[in-house]
């Protein structure tokens, strides 16, 4: 039976169609997820198939069973490719969605943005970034979720269990429209192989941070964070970016932002990537300036860039270990070094070992997973050894929160500190420990973002101007402790249009504290009320002041022993949910790995109403100051300053402050 063409507006309310669409051919032009390793027993495979078939009327089971079995055997997962919609996947203007609730329509917009081919890393597998950061586990879940959102009214809440829409439940107008959980495992079942098993069974997923919470805005988010990191990294070593070299790796989902950030910061960037398809995509997008596949040519090009103090980003198509070793041999000095391969997912495509081709690695990880693991760990030891040779010559290396140091240590690499201190086990710091934590997070500055729901570039331009004016006004009376953060973000927002950062939705990000976020949001809401712009969707990265408990990244500069606790992230999402968020999410997993982090986020729709004004003030204040208070209690100097300042502004805020202990007492007792 031929497919019946149905419009986008009609397909959404249909959910899972009564008449099955025809099977779809596997599209080799798309960047696909690697095959997941065989981990299910025969009985468990049958269970996975039963779990998949429960989405469909029994009359379709006989037809779908062999198809789903083929997907499970071939790809290690059941994606239900047949149900992939025929319409183009992108963030449409909010009024294009067939929804009864404007808030629900905003969430539909954000879901489609996460799956936009220009945004998503593996769009046909519903993976946005990080190799395994899923929006949904399969296309049936996508279709059902969009159907529920189309039907939802403002007195209902959609409950999402790791990609599965459990259903619409009665709530009230001030409640979140959607509550999302991803990968919330019982603690003893949160090892990497547990994810492989239970994801293959179709009962949980890895939502990364902003993938499974519908708040990814393409690589722009990490461009800004990386720009701030690189700028402050050069400040830390007392060098200007211009003419100096930043070496890193990874051009996939979020890591693809690194060369663009290097250009904005004004340095020479070399970023290695083994995947030719994604490397070409980044070149075509203009996120890298040049692509080089020969090491000798790379050495000559970098030497020329240094001599002429160029601002340039170069992708090396090959393994980063080879780059570190070649630059050591050729005496190319690296000023800043890092890595952003997806080492939270080292055995399934997150890190490709030196000495194996991209194709050979993909085959081995699926068919000989233990042998592949040995290659990865050997490569990590070699990788760390090359870095050590460079740092001995003066390179400043930092872990960019991708679990590089953690996995290298597990591989037996020479990466541990000679004299470890509490929270400083590794030879090199996390970038949060030395840069983002003390310079930004402790003062309440983190990745505030917004999306213009109209889809109009002119609305984004207007919001840029509004945000810039707000920041400039705040800076006039800001204390000296935060003047640099304010200046960096004003410079960023002024250059945002010229840097052509939009990929997918009309979105923007900047680092702001609670005062900045509230005043910018209020100015947006007033502009909406005045008819200057359409609705705006507020959000943030989970990688923020309060949203994430991650001992090797976001909370790595917490030294009171509490960095392995997750109270802050849990309280954050609970507090956001009853203070007015449109949707909230809480995840196990994220950028540093399954079982290594708990992180949460929110989305909030501004519609120009007085109610939106009330919600944004009470929620954004909490969303930031929850984290500052925890960091203050850990005795972080900047956070103590920031929370005292917050209490002066808000009389209803009363936070327990730490009493500092004289170090000399421990020398005499």
């Amino acid at each position: 039976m031929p497919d019946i063409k149905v419009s986008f507006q009609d397909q959404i309310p249909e959910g899972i169609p009564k008449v099955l669409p025809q099977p779809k051919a596997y599209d080799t032009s798309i960047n696909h997820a690697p095959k997941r390793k065989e981990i299910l027993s025969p009985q468990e495979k049958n269970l996975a198939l039963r779990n998949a078939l429960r989405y469909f009327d029994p009359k379709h089971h006989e037809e779908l069973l062999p198809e789903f079995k083929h997907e499970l055997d071939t790809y290690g997962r059941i994606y239900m490719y047949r149900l992939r919609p025929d319409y183009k996947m992108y963030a449409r203007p909010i009024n294009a969605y067939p929804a009864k609730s404007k808030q629900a329509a905003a969430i539909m917009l954000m879901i489609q943005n996460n799956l936009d081919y220009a945004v998503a890393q593996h769009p046909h597998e519903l993976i946005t970034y990080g190799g395994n950061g899923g929006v949904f586990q399969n296309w049936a879940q996508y279709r059902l979720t969009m159907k529920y959102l189309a039907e939802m009214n403002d007195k209902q809440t959609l409950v999402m269990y790791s990609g599965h829409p459990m259903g619409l439940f009665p709530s009230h107008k001030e409640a979140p429209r959607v509550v999302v959980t991803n990968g919330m495992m019982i603690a003893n079942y949160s090892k990497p192989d547990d994810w492989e098993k239970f994801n293959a069974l179709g009962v949980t997923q890895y939502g990364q941070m902003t993938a499974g919470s519908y708040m990814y805005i393409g690589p722009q988010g990490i461009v800004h964070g990386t720009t701030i990191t690189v700028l402050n990294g050069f400040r830390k070593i007392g060098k200007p970016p211009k003419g100096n070299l930043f070496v890193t790796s990874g051009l996939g989902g979020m890591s693809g932002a690194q060369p663009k950030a290097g250009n904005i910061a004004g340095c020479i960037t070399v970023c290695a990537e083994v995947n030719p398809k994604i490397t070409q995509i980044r070149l075509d997008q203009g996120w890298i300036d040049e692509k080089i596949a020969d090491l000798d040519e790379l050495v000559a090009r970098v030497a020329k860039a240094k001599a002429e103090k160029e601002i340039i980003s170069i992708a090396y198509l090959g393994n980063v270990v080879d780059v570190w070793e070649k630059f050591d041999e050729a005496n190319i000095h690296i000023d800043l070094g890092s890595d952003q391969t997806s080492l939270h997912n080292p055995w399934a495509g997150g890190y490709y070992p030196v000495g194996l081709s991209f194709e050979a690695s993909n085959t081995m990880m699926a068919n000989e997973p233990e042998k592949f693991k040995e290659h990865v760990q050997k490569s990590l030891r070699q990788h760390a050894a090359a870095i050590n040779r460079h740092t001995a010559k003066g390179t400043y290396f930092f872990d960019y929160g991708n679990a590089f140091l953690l996995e290298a240590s597990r591989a037996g690499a020479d990466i541990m500190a000679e004299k470890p201190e509490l929270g400083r086990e590794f030879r090199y710091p996390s970038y949060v420990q030395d840069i983002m934590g003390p310079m930004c997070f402790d003062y309440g500055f983190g990745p505030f973002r917004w999306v213009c729901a109209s889809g109009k570039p002119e609305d984004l331009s207007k919001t840029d101007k509004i945000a810039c004016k707000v920041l400039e006004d705040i800076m006039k009376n800001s204390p000296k402790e935060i003047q640099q953060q304010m200046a960096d973000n004003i410079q960023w927002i002024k250059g945002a249009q010229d840097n052509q950062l939009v990929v997918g939705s009309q979105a923007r990000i900047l680092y702001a504290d609670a005062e900045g976020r509230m005043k910018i949001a209020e100015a947006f809401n007033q502009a909406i009320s005045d008819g200057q712009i359409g609705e705006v969707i507020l959000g943030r990265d989970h990688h923020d002041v309060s949203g994430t408990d991650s001992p090797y990244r976001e909370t790595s500069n917490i030294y009171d022993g509490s960095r392995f606790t997750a109270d802050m992230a849990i309280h954050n999402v609970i507090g956001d949910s009853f203070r007015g968020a449109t949707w909230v999410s809480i995840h196990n997993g994220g950028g540093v790995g399954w079982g290594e982090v708990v992180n949460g986020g929110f989305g909030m729709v501004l519609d120009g109403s007085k109610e939106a004004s009330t919600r944004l003030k009470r929620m954004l204040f909490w969303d930031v100051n929850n984290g500052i208070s925890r960091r203050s209690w850990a005795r972080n100097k900047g956070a103590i300053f920031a929370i005292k300042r917050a209490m002066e502004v808000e009389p209803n805020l009363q936070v327990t402050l730490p009493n500092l202990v004289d170090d000399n007492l421990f020398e005499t007792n």
Side-chain angles (χ1 to χ4, degrees), residues 280-385:
Q280 188 61 43
I281 287 171
R282 295 304 184 209
L283 185 65
D284 294 342
Q285 288 176 335
W287 291 72
I288 52 177
D289 298 320
E290 297 179 13
K291 179 177 70 172
I292 294 174
D294 179 82
L295 284 169
D296 290 325
E297 183 183 346
L298 179 66
V299 167
R301 185 66 186 89
V302 170
K304 179 177 182 290
K306 278 175 164 278
E308 298 179 4
K309 294 188 180 298
E310 293 182 67
I311 297 171
I312 189 167
S313 57
I314 304 165
Y316 172 67
L317 181 56
N319 199 287
V320 72
V321 180
D322 291 327
V323 175
W324 283 99
E325 292 181 336
K326 183 67 174 182
F327 282 11
D328 176 42
E329 174 191 312
N331 285 318
I332 296 288
H333 180 71
I334 299 170
D335 300 281
L336 293 185
S338 193
D339 185 89
Q340 211 182 3
T341 51
S342 298
L343 270 159
H344 67 276
N345 181 34
W347 325 126
Y351 180 91
Y352 284 79
V354 69
L356 283 180
S357 69
F358 179 62
E359 294 77 12
S361 292
N362 284 331
T363 300
M364 188 183 291
M365 75 177 71
N367 299 331
E368 300 176 277
E370 288 306 312
K371 187 176 179 182
F372 182 72
K373 182 176 180 178
E374 291 173 8
H375 276 272
V376 167
Q377 293 193 319
K378 179 183 177 183
S379 183
L380 284 168
R381 292 191 292 271
Q382 192 173 335
H383 195 160

Side-chain angles (χ1 to χ4, degrees), residues 34-238:
K35 179 186 176 182
R36 308 305 183 183
K37 67 181 180 182
E38 289 277 344
I39 198 166
L40 300 182
S41 69
Q43 294 84 355
E44 288 168 337
K45 283 188 174 184
N46 285 341
L47 180 57
L49 291 164
R50 289 178 183 275
N51 288 344
L53 290 170
R54 61 184 161 179
Y55 285 101
F56 300 91
D57 189 300
K59 67 183 180 183
H60 298 307
H61 288 184
E62 185 176 359
E63 180 180 355
L64 291 175
L65 179 59
E67 184 176 317
F68 290 170
K69 185 178 185 302
H70 170 77
E71 288 187 11
L72 186 59
D73 290 341
T74 305
Y75 311 114
R77 297 293 187 271
I78 301 171
Y79 297 115
M80 307 182 187
Y81 289 122
R82 177 197 288 247
L83 267 70
R84 189 166 49 78
D86 294 321
Y87 52 74
K88 186 177 179 181
M89 192 68 69
Y90 69 101
R92 292 163 170 78
I94 192 168
N95 292 328
Y97 290 93
K100 299 175 183 176
S101 162
K102 190 61 68 91
Q103 292 184 343
I107 299 167
M108 297 164 84
L109 181 162
M110 296 303 294
I111 287 172
Q112 290 204 308
N113 187 66
N114 272 22
L115 295 171
D116 185 332
Y117 283 21
V119 174
Q121 184 181 15
H122 305 307
H124 287 191
E125 289 76 38
L126 304 110
I127 290 170
T128 303
Y129 68 90
N132 55 4
V135 187
F136 301 99
Q137 297 177 61
N138 57 58
W139 286 103
Q141 291 178 346
Y142 165 83
R143 284 181 177 260
L144 268 181
T145 299
M146 296 295 278
K147 176 179 185 290
Y148 279 132
L149 288 168
E151 296 171 349
M152 171 190 288
N153 62 52
D154 285 335
K155 293 184 179 180
Q156 291 175 305
T157 294
L158 176 60
V159 176
M160 299 295 300
Y161 277 36
S162 287
H164 170 66
M166 191 60 71
L168 293 169
F169 290 80
S171 57
H172 56 87
K173 189 176 180 181
E174 291 297 303
R177 296 283 68 81
V178 179
V179 175
V180 178
T181 57
N182 279 301
M184 299 306 293
M185 303 297 293
I186 302 300
N188 282 348
Y189 301 90
S190 199
K191 298 180 290 297
D193 271 358
D194 292 326
W195 172 74
E196 293 281 1
K197 176 179 177 179
F198 293 107
N199 188 229
L201 284 172
V203 295
T204 195
Q205 75 171 4
Y206 193 101
Q208 262 287 351
M209 296 182 122
T210 52
S213 62
Y214 324 142
M215 192 37 80
Y216 189 59
I217 59 169
Q220 179 185 171
I222 192 66
V223 169
H224 178 260
T226 306
T227 300
I228 298 294
T229 300
V230 171
L231 281 173
N232 284 320
F234 278 111
R235 287 176 184 140
K236 186 170 182 64
I237 63 175

Side-chain angles (χ1 to χ4, degrees), residues 314-565:
I314 304 165
Y316 172 67
L317 181 56
N319 199 287
V320 72
V321 180
D322 291 327
V323 175
W324 283 99
E325 292 181 336
K326 183 67 174 182
F327 282 11
D328 176 42
E329 174 191 312
N331 285 318
I332 296 288
H333 180 71
I334 299 170
D335 300 281
L336 293 185
S338 193
D339 185 89
Q340 211 182 3
T341 51
S342 298
L343 270 159
H344 67 276
N345 181 34
W347 325 126
Y351 180 91
Y352 284 79
V354 69
L356 283 180
S357 69
F358 179 62
E359 294 77 12
S361 292
N362 284 331
T363 300
M364 188 183 291
M365 75 177 71
N367 299 331
E368 300 176 277
E370 288 306 312
K371 187 176 179 182
F372 182 72
K373 182 176 180 178
E374 291 173 8
H375 276 272
V376 167
Q377 293 193 319
K378 179 183 177 183
S379 183
L380 284 168
R381 292 191 292 271
Q382 192 173 335
H383 195 160
I387 289 167
N388 291 344
R389 292 196 292 276
H390 281 274
T391 58
K393 300 176 186 178
T395 297
Y396 175 72
F397 182 86
F398 57 89
D399 184 300
Y400 202 10
N402 64 331
F404 172 75
L405 293 177
L406 185 62
E407 286 302 332
S409 70
R410 289 169 174 168
D414 181 14
I415 213 79
M416 307 307 295
E418 290 184 9
K419 295 180 180 179
E421 301 174 17
L422 187 63
R424 289 273 184 170
E425 303 95 336
F426 300 123
R427 178 180 295 194
Y428 306 113
S430 155
Y431 76 114
V432 174
Q433 285 179 303
D434 272 13
I435 301 172
M436 300 306 285
M439 294 181 182
C440 293
F441 289 172
D442 284 355
Y443 289 100
F445 283 81
F448 179 58
R449 56 178 60 167
W450 65 89
V451 175
C452 294
S454 67
K456 297 177 180 178
E458 55 265 37
D459 275 11
L460 184 60
S461 179
K462 290 174 185 176
T463 60
D464 284 344
K465 291 182 175 67
I466 292 169
C468 188
K469 185 178 187 306
V470 168
L471 293 181
E472 288 176 331
D473 289 345
I474 293 173
M475 189 176 175
K476 293 174 185 175
N477 298 306
S478 292
K480 61 179 174 51
E481 287 85 351
I482 63 171
Q483 286 283 317
Q484 186 66 68
Q485 293 94 321
M486 298 296 297
D488 283 348
N489 282 283
I490 290 169
Q491 179 184 345
W492 162 269
I493 202 70
K494 284 182 175 179
Q497 294 281 333
D498 292 340
N499 287 317
Q500 299 179 341
L501 297 161
V502 170
V503 177
S505 61
Q506 294 295 317
R508 187 67 73 226
I509 184 171
L510 55 78
Y511 267 43
D513 60 3
E515 179 186 12
R517 299 182 203 204
M518 289 188 293
K519 288 183 176 178
I520 290 170
E522 180 61 27
F524 288 169
N525 200 54
Q526 187 61 53
I528 297 165
S529 179
D530 294 343
Q532 297 176 38
I533 57 175
E535 293 91 346
V536 172
I537 304 164
L538 301 182
R540 58 161 171 75
D541 197 344
H542 296 196
H543 170 65
D544 196 12
V545 180
S546 301
T548 295
D549 282 297
S550 179
Y552 297 104
R553 195 164 79 179
E554 283 79 4
T555 45
S556 60
N557 71 319
I558 300 291
Y559 299 114
D560 68 349
S562 70
R563 65 188 178 122
F564 293 97
T565 66

